[in-house]
Amino acid sequence: MTSTPPMSEPKPLRIGIAGLGTVGAGVVRLLRENATLIRARAGRELVVTAVSARDRSRDRGIDLSGVAWCDTPEELATHPDVDVVAELIGGAEGPARLTVSRALEHRRPVVTANKALIAIHGAELACTAQQAGVPLMFEAAVAGGIPAIKTVREGLAADRILRIGGILNGTCNYILSVMHETGRDFAEILADAQKLGYAEADPSTDVDGIDTAHKLAILAGLAFGRPVVFASLYIEGIRRIGALDLQFAHKMGYRIKLLGIARQREDGIEARVHPCLVPQDASLAQVNGVFNAVVAEGAFVGRLMLEGRGAGEGPTATAVCADLIDIARGAAIPVWGCDADSLTQVVALPAKAFTGEYYLRLNVCDRPGVIADITAVLRDNGVSLRSMLQHADAHEVRPDGTHAVPLVLLTHKTSEAAMQHALHHIAELEAVLDEPALIRIEAG
């Protein structure tokens, strides 16, 4: 009787990690603490065999004895003991881009959490990955632990996605949530967020909408099968949102959220990032603090929303390890969900092509005839008013003796071009004392 030879033990997946910051160290911890569970789900062991970081002497709270150190992250691309490279450095250029490109060129699969790199160079990297016949995975690049990439690229692969986006930056959502709850101004809440570690020392990428735009560009590319040229996105941050805007929004039944919105239209792809008034009873209005929410609408599946923590060691490390498990299992999913040969980058529609309803806040002289002058400008530009609100408690006497009062107008649906033209002429009125504040209204 012939005996069946024992099956050989599958070889471990050897991982090289570029970058040992919060996420990189978190990946090492997660792979070790959940080693048994991960091995069962991956079908083999996942082991960190090499790393690269700027400061070799820094205590990261993890044992790296027996792990090879590379002086530069690019060395991981050709290291003999590395099967897959995890790029956790960040940034669209420099060492991150070089490391990912070299790894793919040397037929090494890559996992990255780098949203800027994928948003700006994703089409080019997709071609490199396809030519090399290896996967490029980036679940952690959008919304941390929320499985947004898998949902859009795999779960909705059979559907035609009409709209995608949501609340994609926890820092901005935290700031706007606390402003709403406390009535305090942007600068004060931002300073608190920096002390708590929710905002960087230089918060520009977050509060100016760039981080949200990176994530939106990725989601739009996956949803519509055509990477969006990042430079063509309309991007506006939250610096100009004041406590008064939050108060007015609340009185009118809205919350203010920074949203990324992408829609497939007959004339092209609409992709934009800006603050929005969202009805208080909408699901997005209930997403507060540092949480993110990704919303997708499909022709067959309808609307769905995923909510969770969008950043931090735990959520992001979990997403990185999920990609590593897929690679260990032999997953070979095209970067944008379809062959790179068929990809053509598309320019997003210009802002003047947008349509919608608007919130307009003005500080005006408290005297007769002012409202008539403003409504006349709106009428002449084809903008119809839906409602108006004055805040008598915010009446202000300025040093020159001028009595100023805030005035808020909500419009019916109109075009961005018409609204901007009207705004230009309103700003020129003598009775309008400060630069007008304009916020778009979304259904949520």
Side-chain angles (χ1 to χ4, degrees):
M1 184 174 179
T2 305
S3 61
T4 303
M7 294 181 64
S8 61
E9 185 75 13
K11 293 181 180 179
L13 182 71
R14 301 171 300 175
I15 303 162
I17 297 181
L20 283 175
T22 300
V23 176
V27 168
V28 176
R29 266 190 285 272
L30 182 57
L31 288 173
R32 290 175 177 174
E33 291 181 18
N34 288 354
T36 302
L37 179 150
I38 288 172
R39 188 189 185 288
R41 292 177 176 171
R44 53 176 165 154
E45 193 176 0
L46 272 61
V47 181
V48 177
T49 53
V51 296
S52 179
R54 283 183 294 184
D55 184 358
R56 188 179 292 207
S57 62
R58 178 182 160 196
D59 181 8
R60 296 170 172 85
I62 51 176
D63 181 9
L64 293 172
S65 57
V67 176
W69 274 86
C70 294
D71 292 330
T72 64
E74 306 95 83
E75 292 176 39
L76 294 170
T78 55
H79 196 285
D81 294 327
V82 169
D83 300 315
V84 56
V85 174
E87 183 276 302
L88 305 173
I89 304 167
E93 308 298 338
R97 184 181 180 187
L98 184 58
T99 299
V100 171
S101 295
R102 284 194 177 173
L104 294 174
E105 288 164 1
H106 286 87
R107 302 184 186 280
R108 301 283 174 89
V110 171
V111 171
T112 179
N114 193 334
K115 78 274 294 183
L117 180 70
I118 300 300
I120 296 172
H121 301 297
E124 165 201 325
L125 293 172
C127 291
T128 305
Q130 182 167 306
Q131 289 166 5
V134 294
L136 167 61
M137 313 286 273
F138 48 93
E139 183 63 61
V142 177
I146 302 174
I149 303 301
K150 286 183 181 295
T151 299
V152 176
R153 187 172 56 189
E154 300 169 46
L156 301 178
D159 203 357
R160 182 167 56 90
I161 299 178
L162 309 174
R163 180 179 187 266
I164 196 159
I167 297 170
L168 305 176
N169 183 272
T171 299
C172 289
N173 203 42
Y174 172 82
I175 291 171
L176 291 173
S177 296
V178 177
M179 287 176 69
H180 171 81
E181 293 163 4
T182 65
R184 294 154 64 201
D185 273 314
F186 169 82
E188 191 177 350
I189 304 302
L190 172 60
D192 287 349
Q194 289 171 316
K195 292 175 185 175
L196 292 168
Y198 294 151
E200 301 289 342
D202 178 1
S204 302
T205 300
D206 290 321
V207 301
D208 292 334
I210 306 300
D211 178 78
T212 296
H214 286 146
K215 297 168 184 174
L216 181 68
I218 294 171
L219 289 174
L222 292 168
F224 309 129
R226 301 173 69 190
V228 179
V229 176
F230 181 76
S232 68
L233 270 67
Y234 177 83
I235 306 171
E236 182 183 325
I238 65 169
R239 290 184 191 269
R240 294 189 60 217
I241 302 297
L244 199 56
D245 294 313
L246 277 295
Q247 294 172 27
F248 272 120
H250 180 70
K251 286 188 175 184
M252 292 177 154
Y254 292 97
R255 292 287 301 271
I256 297 178
K257 298 291 182 181
L258 181 72
L259 299 184
I261 302 164
R263 292 189 179 97
Q264 178 75 68
R265 294 179 12 176
E266 289 184 4
D267 53 347
I269 292 174
E270 178 182 319
R272 49 196 169 99
V273 172
H274 51 70
C276 293
L277 263 68
V278 179
Q280 288 177 356
D281 59 356
S283 52
L284 278 177
Q286 315 306 316
V287 179
N288 295 311
V290 295
F291 280 72
N292 284 194
V294 177
V295 177
E297 182 182 339
F300 275 71
V301 75
R303 185 181 187 275
L304 59 87
M305 186 174 94
L306 305 172
E307 178 185 353
R309 291 187 177 274
E313 176 184 328
T316 309
T318 300
V320 170
C321 290
D323 280 344
L324 290 169
I325 290 171
D326 278 350
I327 289 172
R329 283 287 186 185
I333 303 163
V335 174
W336 297 104
C338 54
D339 286 345
D341 297 340
S342 64
L343 293 177
T344 55
Q345 280 191 295
V346 62
V347 175
L349 293 169
K352 65 181 181 181
F354 305 160
T355 59
E357 298 179 355
Y358 293 82
Y359 159 104
L360 175 62
R361 177 175 56 80
L362 306 166
N363 282 330
V364 300
C365 293
D366 189 10
R367 68 187 188 203
V370 172
I371 293 176
D373 291 342
I374 292 167
T375 55
V377 172
L378 293 171
R379 178 203 64 212
D380 292 346
N381 286 278
V383 179
S384 174
L385 280 183
R386 175 157 63 90
S387 62
M388 180 176 65
L389 182 66
Q390 282 185 290
H391 197 328
D393 294 340
H395 183 280
E396 173 192 5
V397 180
R398 301 198 168 185
D400 63 358
T402 301
H403 289 252
V405 64
L407 173 68
V408 166
L409 309 171
L410 297 187
T411 79
H412 285 291
K413 190 173 182 178
T414 188
S415 71
E416 180 83 16
M419 196 67 215
Q420 291 295 340
H421 197 259
L423 198 62
H424 173 73
H425 289 289
I426 287 172
E428 292 181 333
L429 294 174
E430 182 185 355
V432 175
L433 302 174
D434 302 312
E435 185 179 358
L438 186 71
I439 306 176
R440 290 127 188 115
I441 301 173
E442 285 288 327

